[in-house]
């Protein structure tokens, strides 16, 4: 369970820590900022694109060898990025690191779920569910310190001690057994289709702020996704969700993640641009959300084990929606303290929700399908994090480039959290019994 938390922290840290180094990378390698940005996209794209294929592969692979291989591959990719002599080398290293990062993202909930008895699964799942977002918000601050004092190479090396600790603990404590099979042709074909579809969508969303015509890049995602859904790999994923009755849970995860990402983007932008608040004050204000989330995470896991994961996940999502609704009247007279306590309320609700919703998904899946179930919920969350800022930007532009546009975006974020609560309120079917 501790290893799952460590890996969740370091994988989410890596999603955000490199953002702060893009300008430095551009100057160091003598390339444009757009090219240097691929040091970030080179990690994010394979992480999101390979989640579902990695889940299906891990259902057939041994947990211990897959975990040790993924940690070593992730660490080696980070080391290769740190010693990169050119931008092309760096991007290639980040692609490798992102490939192993996708495996780690799938393994986190599986590792936590299998580490404890079923009646303790709520508090077990709260560990990676809490430490992951904390790694995400720690990334920019830690990256800035390392960049100012040690240079951009330290941004990639800082994760190695955590990887080493996770590797040593996993070798000693994860039970032996199972083999590490290479992906077969069917898995590779599924990876190509899913990866192509997700990459098209993410590239379209990433480039669309420059020009809406970039959204046309998402068009090829439709035939690629349809082709994957008709293959055995796609049918297996839909069967896992259907048999476990977790379509609504996955939709709730996507909706709340999009709402959280939209809120985080808009609040930081509003404080610095409209209120002329310093970057330090903005960072401390926004930090209230993950701080409250970290406090509520362990509590949510314990309460879920006592009162039920669905009840706690629903209550947490509803509390998050209330906190976001209280932010909607955001006006020029608000101080950072006025924003901070509302963010803390929303963060507390998200902390109550995180572990229980993971436990809800993993408990509904059959043991031999846990990795596929985990990969599906991680994909829903990742897509939500990507869609949130893009949707917030679009709504903000439609509502006007002033506080009215910000309020429209925050309303959208609150609706996302409210939709998540409504979806979780509806009970799912009992998971199907295993054959035989």
């Amino acid at each position: 369970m501790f290893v799952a938390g460590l890996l969740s922290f370091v994988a989410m840290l890596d999603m955000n820590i490199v953002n702060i180094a893009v300008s430095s990378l551009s100057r160091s390698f003598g390339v444009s900022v757009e090219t240097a940005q691929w040091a970030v996209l080179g990690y994010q794209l394979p992480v999101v694109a390979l989640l579902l294929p990695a889940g299906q592969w891990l259902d057939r692979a041994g947990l211990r060898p897959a975990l040790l291989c993924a940690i070593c591959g992730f660490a080696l990719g980070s080391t290769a990025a740190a010693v990169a002599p050119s931008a092309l080398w760096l991007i290639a290293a980040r692609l490798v690191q992102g490939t192993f990062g996708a495996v780690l993202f799938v393994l986190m909930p599986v590792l936590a779920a299998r580490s404890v008895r079923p009646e303790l699964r709520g508090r077990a799942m709260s560990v990676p569910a809490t430490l992951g977002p904390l790694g995400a918000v720690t990334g920019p601050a830690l990256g800035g310190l390392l960049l100012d004092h040690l240079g951009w190479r330290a941004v990639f090396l800082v994760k190695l001690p955590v990887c080493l600790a996770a590797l040593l603990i996993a070798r000693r404590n994860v039970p032996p057994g199972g083999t590490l099979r290479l992906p077969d042709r069917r898995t590779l074909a599924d990876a190509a289709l899913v990866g192509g579809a997700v990459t098209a969508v993410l590239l379209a969303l990433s480039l669309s702020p420059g020009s809406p015509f970039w959204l046309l890049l998402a068009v090829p995602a439709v035939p690629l996704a349809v082709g994957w859904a008709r293959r055995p790999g796609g049918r297996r994923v839909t069967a896992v969700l259907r048999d476990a009755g977790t379509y609504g849970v996955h939709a709730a995860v996507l909706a709340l993640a999009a709402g959280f990402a939209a809120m985080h983007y808009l609040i930081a932008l509003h404080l610095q641009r409209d209120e002329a608040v310093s970057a330090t004050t903005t960072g401390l204000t926004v930090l209230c959300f993950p701080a409250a989330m970290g406090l509520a995470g362990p509590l949510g896991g314990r309460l879920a084990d006592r009162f039920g994961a669905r009840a706690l996940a629903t209550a947490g999502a509803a509390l998050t929606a209330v906190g976001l609704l209280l932010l909607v009247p955001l006006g020029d007279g608000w101080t950072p303290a006025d924003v901070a306590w509302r963010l803390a309320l929303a963060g507390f609700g998200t902390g109550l929700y995180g572990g229980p919703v993971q436990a809800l998904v993993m408990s509904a899946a059959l043991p031999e399908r846990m990795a596929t179930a985990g990969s599906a919920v991680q994909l829903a969350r990742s897509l939500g994090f990507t869609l949130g800022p893009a949707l917030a930007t679009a709504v903000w532009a439609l509502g006007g480039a002033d506080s009215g546009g910000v309020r429209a975006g925050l309303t959208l974020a609150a609706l996302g959290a409210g939709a998540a609560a409504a979806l979780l309120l509806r009970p799912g079917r009992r998971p199907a019994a295993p054959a035989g």
Side-chain angles (χ1 to χ4, degrees), residues 61 66 74 131-132 163 193 225 231 234 279 282 292 300 309 402 425:
F74 185 88
L131 288 179
C163 292
L193 290 171
R231 291 176 54 83
T282 299
D402 54 13
L425 191 61

Side-chain angles (χ1 to χ4, degrees), residues 194-205:
V194 176
V198 174
T199 299
V201 172
L202 294 185
L203 282 177
L205 292 174

